[in-house]
Amino acid sequence: MGTSKKEPGVMVILVIKVSAVLILLLNALSLMAQSMPPEKGNWQAKNVQGKVRQIYTSQIGVREKPANSGPQVEKYLKYVGLSNGNPWCAAFVCWVFGEVGVDNPRSGWSPDLFPGSRIIYESGKLKAESGKLLQKSPYGKSGWAESRCACPSGAGGGFCKMHSVTNKPVSPAAGDVFGLYFPEKGRIAHVGFVDEWQDPWVISVEGNTNVQGSREGDGVYRKRRLVKTIHKVARYIE
């Protein structure tokens, strides 16, 4: 009889101990979650990327009327502080970013869209997660190596094999900005959005172009261009 009187007290003590252990476990899991670095390509970035893609895709079919003018073209130009009649490929890119709240240079000058800190691809070289530019390695089609390294020219033709995951190349993706270089102008003189990057082709959405892919076109088009014609790619969606 005496033992049965103590049982409720024992049960209470057990419940308290189990509760304490559960609290400790929950706290430990919470701390682990907070200490884990955010995953690259996290859901916030994917969400922004999706919105940017939705906006620029919705503009396919916009046409000038007259040249470098028209209701929608005027919106692009106004966003970057330019008046009707100006080339508007860069204005189109900036306007799309502005619609989603992505920081951008708000400029109609194409070179302004390619500050060094945002470049992920340049003349056949992809930037690695480490920030170094990589180029195709002679060790295989899928291999990439540092574009500037200390290997003797006789050891792999001046290329270095990758030894670290930090040299994993960052591939252009939907929402990145490409630039075409025009030698006669000595600068990037046409820009647009990468929609799909499937070497040797890139599918783009770009303004102020046409069926032929001109930099002085008549509207917003989805285009297919060779990757080798792309001079630079910049990333604004982090």
Side-chain angles (χ1 to χ4, degrees):
M1 296 292 290
T3 304
S4 62
K5 290 181 179 178
K6 293 180 181 178
E7 285 180 356
V10 172
M11 291 298 295
V12 170
I13 293 172
L14 285 173
V15 170
I16 292 173
K17 287 183 176 180
V18 171
S19 299
V21 170
L22 287 173
I23 291 170
L24 288 172
L25 284 172
L26 288 171
N27 286 337
L29 289 171
S30 178
L31 288 171
M32 286 175 62
Q34 292 176 22
S35 63
M36 289 176 66
E39 185 179 336
K40 289 186 181 296
N42 54 50
W43 69 268
Q44 290 100 332
K46 292 290 185 183
N47 187 41
V48 172
Q49 182 188 47
K51 289 180 179 178
V52 167
R53 189 172 189 271
Q54 182 181 22
I55 295 296
Y56 68 63
T57 301
S58 73
Q59 301 302 293
I60 296 172
V62 167
R63 296 291 182 266
E64 302 175 339
K65 194 174 182 180
N68 292 333
S69 297
Q72 198 63 17
V73 173
E74 290 170 18
K75 287 184 182 179
Y76 308 150
L77 289 168
K78 184 177 180 180
Y79 179 77
V80 298
L82 292 176
S83 57
N84 299 346
N86 282 287
W88 50 276
C89 61
F92 168 68
V93 169
C94 292
W95 176 85
V96 170
F97 281 145
E99 289 293 289
V100 184
V102 174
D103 186 47
N104 68 84
R106 293 192 73 160
S107 173
W109 180 248
S110 295
D112 284 347
L113 283 157
F114 300 91
S117 61
R118 294 201 176 273
I119 302 301
I120 62 167
Y121 173 92
E122 183 173 352
S123 299
K125 301 170 187 175
L126 289 175
K127 181 172 282 189
E129 292 173 352
S130 64
K132 297 177 181 177
L133 282 174
L134 309 175
Q135 63 188 34
K136 283 285 182 70
S137 165
Y139 296 106
K141 285 186 177 180
S142 60
W144 289 84
E146 291 182 25
S147 60
R148 296 177 182 176
C149 59
C151 291
S153 58
F159 292 86
C160 291
K161 286 184 177 180
M162 293 190 303
H163 297 290
S164 169
V165 294
T166 58
N167 269 3
K168 180 181 177 182
V170 178
S171 183
D176 290 335
V177 182
F178 76 87
L180 301 182
Y181 184 86
F182 287 75
E184 66 273 19
K185 291 187 172 292
R187 63 175 175 85
I188 289 176
H190 183 67
V191 301
F193 283 107
V194 171
D195 193 50
E196 297 178 40
W197 189 274
Q198 299 176 345
D199 198 354
W201 295 100
V202 55
I203 306 301
S204 66
V205 174
E206 50 198 87
N208 201 20
T209 190
N210 55 20
V211 174
Q212 290 74 35
S214 168
R215 60 175 292 272
E216 273 293 352
D218 62 4
V220 180
Y221 289 78
R222 187 188 300 277
K223 301 293 300 175
R224 186 172 78 151
R225 296 181 181 273
L226 284 167
V227 166
K228 66 182 181 181
T229 66
I230 306 300
H231 182 56
K232 288 183 180 180
V233 176
R235 175 159 292 173
Y236 284 82
I237 304 170
E238 302 295 343

